Amino acid sequence: QLILDRSIESAPLMLVSGSSFTATAAATREQVAYALVQATGREAAAKAIDPTAALTVADADGNLVPVVDADQIDSALKGHITLAVQLGILDATFSGEGASKVARINPKGSLTRAEYAAFAARTYGSVLFPS
């Protein structure tokens, strides 16, 4: 199930809701980001991230901008989401100027097929394949 982590001790690639997996349910941006980070074998790196740390994302100029909707992220997924943002898998939208500039990642928002394709392409670009 995982691309680069063949450990049998890894958490699942997809999380269940309640006691069952609902295949027809819409996926949120945070759920897809979790699954893609998990698929690349970066579970240990995600777990090493402090879930209480402020989440920021770099803008086009390389400036770190606070993510104002980070409080909406499921606390169990915070490390995976932070890593997805750092790797460029999960994108953000920016508003404001200068010191008042903020970013939003819309973690509970659903994805279109095109958005998922972009997530998947950016994930592939973040994987360091062995030579």
Side-chain angles (χ1 to χ4, degrees):
Q1 90 182 6
L2 302 175
I3 296 171
L4 296 178
D5 182 0
R6 296 185 180 158
S7 168
I8 60 171
E9 297 166 13
S10 296
L13 186 61
M14 296 292 295
L15 300 172
V16 296
S17 178
S19 61
S20 63
F21 178 78
T22 309
T24 59
T28 65
R29 290 171 53 87
E30 73 179 352
Q31 290 170 332
V32 172
Y34 163 85
L36 292 173
V37 167
Q38 195 66 13
T40 62
R42 292 182 167 114
E43 180 178 344
K47 285 184 175 182
I49 294 172
D50 179 3
T52 63
L55 181 57
T56 59
V57 63
D59 66 9
D61 298 322
N63 301 314
L64 292 179
V65 178
V67 176
V68 295
D69 56 356
D71 60 333
Q72 296 175 19
I73 299 170
D74 182 331
S75 61
L77 304 179
K78 181 82 182 278
H80 283 77
I81 303 313
T82 300
L83 193 54
V85 167
Q86 291 171 353
L87 294 169
I89 295 170
L90 181 61
D91 59 344
T93 57
F94 297 94
S95 60
E97 295 283 328
S100 65
K101 191 173 198 179
V102 295
R104 287 184 170 72
I105 60 170
N106 190 20
K108 300 296 184 200
S110 60
L111 287 169
T112 65
R113 291 168 49 149
E115 288 170 322
Y116 173 75
F119 271 38
R122 290 191 299 257
T123 300
Y124 184 80
S126 77
V127 175
L128 300 174
F129 291 101
S131 52

